[in-house]
Amino acid sequence: MYQSLYRKYRPKNFDEVIGQESIVRTLKNAILNDQLNHAYLFTGPRGTGKTSIAKILARTINCENPCNAIPCDKCVFCTENSNQLTDIIEIDAASNNGVDEIRELKSKINLVPTIGKYKIYIIDEVHMLTIGAFNALLKTLEEPPQHIIFILATT
């Protein structure tokens, strides 16, 4: 099966990330010290690893037995096919930028995670949301339920 280069060589854990040492160290320390926040904002130019680090963070947070903030690859959450994880929801705001999509997200936000500790929403290209959509998301973003973490990625 053909796979594009950026997917084939995408890092699987924090130790494989190159060029973002300070960010990786900060996120690892937050995980190790159990000081997770309800929302993260990753910014930077194209190709700097915002979405890759968001996916690694999401996997690591929900891993049952992380070793030094690296997923174990043995627990139920780690062995699930990453494309079928129901607790990590990735939304491309460039194509899903309307109020209706955010209302649908808000209707599902109170559902508890199925496998992991948290349900994590990765909203890529968040700057593409319309003003109405962002206003609809704002209250939920400010005060999400205990089991929700938002990761917003934007240029």
Side-chain angles (χ1 to χ4, degrees):
M1 180 171 108
Y2 173 76
Q3 195 174 27
S4 60
L5 289 176
Y6 80 94
R7 290 186 193 266
K8 184 175 183 179
Y9 296 106
R10 175 175 270 166
K12 305 276 188 281
N13 59 53
F14 285 126
D15 289 345
E16 294 178 4
V17 175
I18 298 172
Q20 300 293 344
E21 289 79 15
S22 60
I23 302 302
V24 167
R25 185 174 50 253
T26 302
L27 292 174
K28 280 176 121 177
N29 286 336
I31 293 167
L32 291 171
N33 296 323
D34 199 29
Q35 295 181 333
L36 298 173
N37 292 307
H38 70 278
Y40 293 89
L41 178 63
F42 294 165
T43 64
R46 286 186 57 205
T48 54
K50 300 177 294 292
T51 306
S52 296
I53 291 176
K55 288 180 179 189
I56 294 168
L57 178 62
R59 276 190 65 224
T60 306
I61 288 172
N62 274 334
C63 179
E64 293 174 8
N65 307 306
C67 178
N68 196 23
I70 296 174
C72 68
D73 290 333
K74 296 176 185 167
C75 67
V76 175
F77 191 83
C78 290
T79 56
E80 284 288 316
N81 184 349
S82 59
N83 295 331
Q84 297 175 345
L85 290 174
T86 56
D87 292 343
I88 299 176
I89 296 96
E90 188 174 354
I91 300 165
D92 181 23
S95 56
N96 299 310
N97 59 0
V99 177
D100 294 333
E101 286 88 358
I102 299 301
R103 285 189 182 138
E104 183 181 337
L105 179 146
K106 286 177 64 175
S107 70
K108 296 177 183 175
I109 212 149
N110 287 324
L111 301 174
V112 294
T114 56
I115 300 172
K117 296 175 263 188
Y118 297 97
K119 188 170 264 197
I120 301 166
Y121 288 89
I122 300 172
I123 304 178
D124 203 5
E125 303 292 337
V126 73
H127 65 277
M128 298 293 284
L129 287 176
T130 63
I131 293 172
F134 196 80
N135 286 337
L137 178 65
L138 192 57
K139 179 71 173 167
T140 305
L141 191 60
E142 289 174 345
E143 299 171 9
Q146 290 280 329
H147 60 275
I148 300 294
I149 295 178
F150 285 101
I151 303 174
L152 310 176
T154 182
T155 55

